[in-house]
Amino acid sequence: GGFMTGWLIGHHEFKDLWSAAAIWNAVLNMSYMVISSDIPDWIYACCLNKELVDFSSISAEDNKEFFLKSPISQVANVRTPSVFLVGDFDHRVPPHQSYYYYNCLKSMGVDCKLYDYPGSGHAILKSPEQFIDAHLNMTFWMDKYVMEPYRLN
């Protein structure tokens, strides 16, 4: 979900297709993810198509490949209004990736908003209120950019 959204809104072939994006606890930087998550083997397999045998053997070339296959490598191309939904207690996908991507978009003048859910993990399920709030904020964002332009007044 979030990885592909981040990738597609920045990739030169697809970046102009989207009216809005919702990015929910996304993997946005594989270079960072491989050293800060409990699933470095997943990053290794996705980016290098290899099994991670020895974590200490990750090279500078590997790290470069991780970056090139990350949405953050395409962030300069993003023009799509984006909402970020972040559980700040996500151990699988560290929230710092969303904060950084959001700040990149903000500094480029891309309309974006970040909702931070304290104490929530990847699914934003600490409380029913947080879960509902996240879905409502995503819905309101999509309504603003996808539906509102087509409404008859």
Side-chain angles (χ1 to χ4, degrees), residues 92-107:
R92 171 104 337 145
V93 181
H96 305 95
Q97 295 184 70
S98 291
Y99 303 150
Y100 180 67
Y101 199 91
Y102 163 78
N103 282 311
C104 288
L105 297 189
K106 192 174 172 184
S107 71

Side-chain angles (χ1 to χ4, degrees), residues 5 35 41 46 55-56 68 72 91 94 109 116 122 126 132 138 140 142-143 149-150:
T5 301
I35 62 166
D41 51 331
C46 286
F55 191 68
S56 66
L68 292 174
I72 198 67
H91 293 293
D116 195 29
H122 195 71
K126 182 177 183 202
I132 291 167
M138 183 171 46
F140 293 148
M142 291 300 173
D143 182 67
Y150 300 100

Side-chain angles (χ1 to χ4, degrees), residues 3-73:
F3 175 87
M4 285 306 298
T5 301
W7 183 259
L8 290 170
I9 64 174
H11 193 278
H12 70 277
E13 290 182 47
F14 309 110
K15 67 182 179 63
D16 297 321
L17 297 175
W18 318 107
S19 298
I23 299 173
W24 184 303
N25 282 333
V27 174
L28 298 165
N29 185 338
M30 297 288 228
S31 296
Y32 180 73
M33 183 81 174
V34 76
I35 62 166
S36 59
S37 177
D38 64 340
I39 52 170
D41 51 331
W42 176 78
I43 288 90
Y44 207 78
C46 286
C47 293
L48 303 177
N49 199 28
K50 294 181 190 175
E51 182 179 347
L52 177 60
V53 178
D54 177 9
F55 191 68
S56 66
S57 70
I58 295 174
S59 68
E61 291 80 25
D62 293 342
N63 202 36
K64 181 179 179 184
E65 195 66 23
F66 297 150
F67 179 79
L68 292 174
K69 293 185 176 172
S70 299
I72 198 67
S73 72

Side-chain angles (χ1 to χ4, degrees), residues 108-128:
M108 296 184 315
V110 175
D111 194 13
C112 55
K113 186 155 180 99
L114 186 141
Y115 293 96
D116 195 29
Y117 294 94
S120 265
H122 195 71
I124 306 179
L125 286 173
K126 182 177 183 202
S127 69

